[in-house]
Each structure stands twice: as C-alpha cells, then as structure tokens.
Amino acid sequence: MSGKNTQKKWYSWYFEFNLLYRILIGLVLGVVLGLVFKEKILWVQPFGDLFVRLLKMIMMPIILSTLIVGASSVSPANLGKVGIRVIIFYLLTSAVAVVIGLVMGAIFHPSAELASLAEAAGREAKAPTLAQTLLNIVPTSVASVIVNETILAVIFFALVFGLGLSYLRVAKDERLKKAGDVIYTFFDGLAEVIMLIIKGIMQYAPFGVLALVSVVFATNGPKVIGSLGIVTAACFIGYAIHIIVVYCGMVKFAGKLSIKRFFKDAKDPFITAFVTRSSNGTLPVTMEAADNLGVHKDVYSFSLPLGATINMDGTAIYQGVCATFIALSVWGHGFSLSQMGIIIITATLASIGTAGVPGAGAIMLLLVLDSVGLPVVAGTAVAGAYAMILGIDALLDMGRTALNVLGDLSCTTVVAKSMKELDMAKWEKQAV
Ligand code: ASP
C-alpha cells in the first residue's frame, strides 16, 4: 500500500513528512494568512468545510464499530471479581477526570470569543431535565438514533450490543459461537476500515486546519492566539492535578503503597506514552512495568490491554477543557449543570470508544460536543474553534496519553493489591 518500491512522485515528500509537523504548519500558515489577507482569504472556507464533513462522515461508524468491538472483547469469564473491580476503577477515574477538565475550563476560562461567527454557530441545546436526559439514553428506535446522531443513545446501544456479543462468542452451542464470531469479525473489520479512512482523512488535515484557522483569524484578528496557550495550560495543569490527587492518592491510601516505589517503574511507560502518543503502542512497556511492580500476570494481562482500550483519563480531562473552550468561544458562556452532567456521561463513555492511537481523542471530542448542542458543522464558529484545538492536538495528546497509561497502571496495581495479587516482596526490598 505504501508503494515503497514504486518511483517517488513529486508529491511523495508530503506524505513522508511527519503529519504532526504538517498540521502545525497548517495552523501557523492559517494564522498568518488570516491575519495578513483578512476577508480576502475567506474563499478558502469550502476547503475547511470539506475537512469537517469528512470527520462527521465517520463519526457514527466509528462509535458503532469501536464500541461494539471494545465491549465484546471483554470475555464474560474474565469479567469476574478482578474484571468488575478494574472496570469500576476505570470508569470512576475517567468520570473524575472529566470533572477536573470542566473545573479547569471554568477556572482558566479559555475563550477565543469568536463573536463574528457566533450567530452561525450550532444551535444551543434547550437544556432538558436530568431525568429526561438519562431516559433518552435508552433508545426506542435504534435506526432513528443513528440517523439523528443521538450520540448517548447510540453509545448505549453499542455497549449493550457488544456485551451481548461477548456472551455469544463464548456460547457452548457451536452455531451460536460461530454466529458471534462472524458478527465480531464484521465489526472488527469495520473498525479497521474506519481507522484506515481516518488515516486518509488526516492526510488532508493540514489543509483543512489551514483553511478553517485562516477564516477564524481573518474574522477575529490576533486576539485569539492567547486562548490556545490558555487551553494548553488548563489541560496540563488538569493532568498534573489528576496524577497528584487521583493516582498518588489511590496508590497511597487505597493501595497503602509507596508512591516513590510506584513511580520507579511507572515512569518508563509514562515517558514512552508521552513520546509515542499511543496507549496501545506503549502496552508492552506498561506490562513490563506491571511485572516489575509485582502485579500477578493473571491481573495485568487482562486489565492493561483493557485499560489501553477503554480507560482514558487524560483524554477525558482534555475533552472537559476543550468543550468548555469551544462553548465559551461560541456561546460566550459555559455549560449549565445539566449540560455538565451530559458531558461527564458522554466523555466517560466516549473514552471507552477512544482507540489508544495518536489523535483518537480529538475525533471523540466531536461526540462530546454534539451531545451538548455544539455540533461541528461546516461554516460555523464551532468548526473554527475545533480546528484551532486540532492545530495543537499533538501537544495535548502527549500529555493525555501519558496520563491514560499511568491510569491503567495505577488502577491495575491498586486492584491487584486489594485482591492479594501483588508480590509485596518487590515493594519491601525497594521501598524507601
Ligand atoms: N492518544 C491517546 C492514547 O493513545 C488517545 C487520544 O487521542 O486521546 O491513549
């Protein structure tokens, strides 16, 4: 596919050049062109709109395929005591992470004040009551929630379907087992195809970001630059708080273990995740660290791959901060309490569907935005603000991936300790 043996074309350099740098260059060029050419650059808008439409196109297939595959990969047999504990830890820490993200957003108040595009923005959702919101998670018609892009209901259906499928796949009846495997293979294949499509779409991202950002700067001027710095600071401070309060707190108080000893081995996967920006890619290093920490293989061989797929605390913080940034930039005000409730639920569930690969969290941010009435629609301020975030995604992704991996390892260690599956000899010798 990569055509390594074929002759180099004049455009080959483009695909060989690191995508992160290309997107960053797109962002910087967009800023410069927007500021220099002002309204004369507005003709590029359709190129930005094209990028937004491509992203929206893959949103539904991505939720359905990745969530169904994710949920059905947990075999019911493994869902024993350890499994349930690990999953509860994973979900709780993710929910706390979203709250930290929202609080960081509220404190730092990052806003690009995209006033001139504001009326074209996505319609603000009429805040439904919490009971109504919760009830609406259970769809009455699966087809209609897919067509109407009712995100939470689709997520709910995908999880239930995936769970059902996981039982089918281990059925004693050969016919059922075979049917389960066929359906699993279908969705697994679908997820892989979507991943390929995303890779393709991201090749266009530098141009899409350039076009979207230049329009934002052409219509708003230079005042929006500082807001990106504030978004970055809010995310990273949120990441740091989560490490100190949640992970260190968990290791010290729930696990009654030495934080220093924990980080002695945890720093390797932490750094690897930071540079690779992929929880999946870091998995071998995380497993090695768990082994060195004395976690029994039965525990980590289940909990770490599961964590790399469903536990994304850093991504959850990032979504809380970025959703707040986009709301403040577009609406001029933050979220109501019930909208925050929706974000906590959506971002926690969306983190289950986020693949542990670079940049996946930015795609899942689309879902979170959609759920609170901020759909990324071509030509709106939401799309402009989203593109600004995408321009600095590489930096935000480094921090959030490092956190994602640290979350997997700390939950695994604490659960192992609580189940007496931790080799304490490895702690006593080296503990300070
Ligand atoms: N890169 C992250 C990870 O692999 C996912 C994300 O983009 O948020 O954990």
Side-chain angles (χ1 to χ4, degrees):
M1 249 197 81
S2 57
K4 270 193 185 123
N5 304 326
T6 55
Q7 233 189 343
K8 281 205 172 185
K9 304 270 180 350
W10 62 268
Y11 48 78
S12 302
W13 65 270
Y14 177 79
F15 295 99
E16 282 159 13
F17 190 42
N18 188 319
L19 179 63
L20 294 184
Y21 293 132
R22 275 185 278 151
I23 295 183
L24 207 59
I25 292 172
L27 174 83
V28 175
L29 271 182
V31 174
V32 174
L33 293 180
L35 291 178
V36 172
F37 290 104
K38 302 212 170 64
E39 49 305 335
K40 286 197 210 82
I41 195 81
L42 292 181
W43 60 269
V44 299
Q45 176 87 43
F47 293 98
D49 292 350
L50 172 64
F51 180 51
V52 174
R53 292 183 76 106
L54 286 168
L55 287 177
K56 292 284 277 194
M57 176 183 84
I58 48 153
M59 207 169 83
M60 274 299 145
I62 220 187
I63 311 180
L64 278 176
S65 57
T66 53
L67 274 184
I68 289 175
V69 171
S72 58
S73 310
V74 187
S75 91
N78 266 339
L79 210 62
K81 267 195 205 151
V82 178
I84 303 251
R85 275 190 203 205
V86 168
I87 290 172
I88 290 177
F89 261 91
Y90 282 168
L91 290 180
L92 277 183
T93 50
S94 298
V96 171
V98 193
V99 175
I100 291 182
L102 288 172
V103 171
M104 285 298 111
I107 293 174
F108 280 82
H109 216 75
S111 164
E113 286 169 28
L114 301 175
S116 51
L117 284 170
E119 18 356 284
R123 295 141 305 283
E124 186 170 352
K126 295 175 270 1
T129 64
L130 193 61
Q132 227 174 1
T133 310
L134 293 177
L135 266 184
N136 286 344
I137 294 177
V138 184
T140 48
S141 153
V142 174
S144 90
V145 288
I146 293 177
V147 171
N148 296 319
E149 300 184 348
T150 317
I151 303 298
L152 274 181
V154 177
I155 291 181
F156 179 81
F157 171 72
L159 286 178
V160 172
F161 188 91
L163 229 56
L165 186 55
S166 71
Y167 279 92
L168 212 60
R169 291 182 64 209
V170 293
K172 294 216 174 67
D173 183 327
E174 251 329 289
R175 183 185 67 86
L176 293 182
K177 189 173 169 336
K178 210 164 140 201
D181 284 339
V182 169
I183 298 181
Y184 177 83
T185 310
F186 169 78
F187 281 106
D188 193 30
L190 186 63
E192 290 296 336
V193 174
I194 303 295
M195 284 300 162
L196 271 182
I197 296 177
I198 292 181
K199 274 197 187 137
I201 294 176
M202 290 319 276
Q203 295 301 325
Y204 178 66
F207 295 102
V209 167
L210 187 156
L212 289 165
V213 169
S214 63
V215 171
V216 170
F217 278 82
T219 33
N220 292 277
K223 65 177 191 289
V224 284
I225 293 180
S227 56
L228 282 183
I230 301 180
V231 169
T232 310
C235 281
F236 275 83
I237 293 176
Y239 299 157
I241 292 178
H242 197 76
I243 293 178
I244 295 167
V245 176
V246 179
Y247 300 151
C248 292
M250 227 161 56
V251 169
K252 177 114 194 105
F253 299 108
K256 306 222 166 14
L257 295 164
S258 151
I259 295 174
K260 199 168 167 194
R261 168 70 188 89
F262 173 72
F263 275 99
K264 182 173 171 277
D265 284 311
K267 69 175 189 317
D268 296 341
F270 185 79
I271 295 167
T272 313
F274 193 86
V275 283
T276 60
R277 295 163 54 238
S278 167
S279 309
N280 285 351
T282 310
L283 197 54
V285 186
T286 325
M287 287 195 162
E288 163 104 30
D291 206 65
N292 292 339
L293 283 167
V295 179
H296 201 284
K297 190 154 190 258
D298 282 355
V299 177
Y300 76 71
S301 63
F302 161 73
S303 72
L304 290 179
L306 182 72
T309 320
I310 72 165
N311 185 40
M312 306 271 171
D313 297 352
T315 306
I317 292 178
Y318 150 89
Q319 286 173 338
V321 172
C322 293
T324 309
F325 164 73
I326 293 175
L328 289 172
S329 302
V330 173
W331 291 337
H333 62 82
F335 297 113
S336 66
L337 269 182
S338 74
Q339 283 172 327
M340 286 191 188
I342 296 175
I343 292 190
I344 294 170
I345 298 172
T346 329
T348 306
L349 295 180
S351 75
I352 299 178
T354 307
V357 295
I363 307 279
M364 286 324 231
L365 179 62
L366 292 171
L367 312 188
V368 176
L369 293 173
D370 224 290
S371 70
V372 281
L374 283 168
V376 177
V377 176
T380 61
V382 183
Y386 179 76
M388 289 169 67
I389 297 280
L390 212 56
I392 52 164
D393 190 59
L395 186 60
L396 304 180
D397 194 10
M398 288 176 153
R400 65 179 191 252
T401 309
L403 209 68
N404 292 345
V405 166
L406 200 59
D408 302 340
L409 192 59
S410 52
C411 284
T412 296
T413 309
V414 172
V415 168
K417 170 86 195 293
S418 74
M419 309 285 302
K420 301 202 169 34
E421 298 269 8
L422 194 67
D423 178 2
M424 289 314 292
K426 296 207 173 175
W427 290 74
E428 276 142 23
K429 260 187 276 159
Q430 293 161 59
V432 199

